[in-house]
Amino acid sequence: MTNDTAVYDALRVDPTSGDKEGAGRMGTRDAIRGDGLEIDAASLAFCPREWINSTGYVDLELVRIFPLMLAL
């Protein structure tokens, strides 16, 4: 399992103030844009594709099923 999928924090734009706030989700560019959210480019991270659910977001349940194996 390799960390080969780029994921980002999703940001929601407040319609009244224009401020950006975290949407509480991390996903692929396509998923975030598809939901009409903004991408926080500074939050770029990489994770195994096994952690991405069918909607393109990191799923904590999948993270538990496919934990990262670290070599010691």
Side-chain angles (χ1 to χ4, degrees), residues 2-7 45-52 58:
T2 61
N3 291 341
D4 58 0
T5 305
V7 292
F46 292 89
C47 72
R49 61 179 157 63
E50 290 87 355
W51 292 2
I52 307 296
V58 175

Side-chain angles (χ1 to χ4, degrees), residues 6-46:
V7 292
Y8 303 85
D9 284 330
L11 299 174
R12 193 176 284 124
V13 178
D14 184 309
T16 55
S17 68
D19 293 336
K20 295 180 182 179
E21 58 186 32
R25 298 194 285 175
M26 185 172 245
T28 62
R29 283 183 173 273
D30 292 337
I32 294 169
R33 286 187 180 147
D35 286 344
L37 300 169
E38 297 278 328
I39 294 168
D40 179 4
S43 69
L44 172 63
F46 292 89

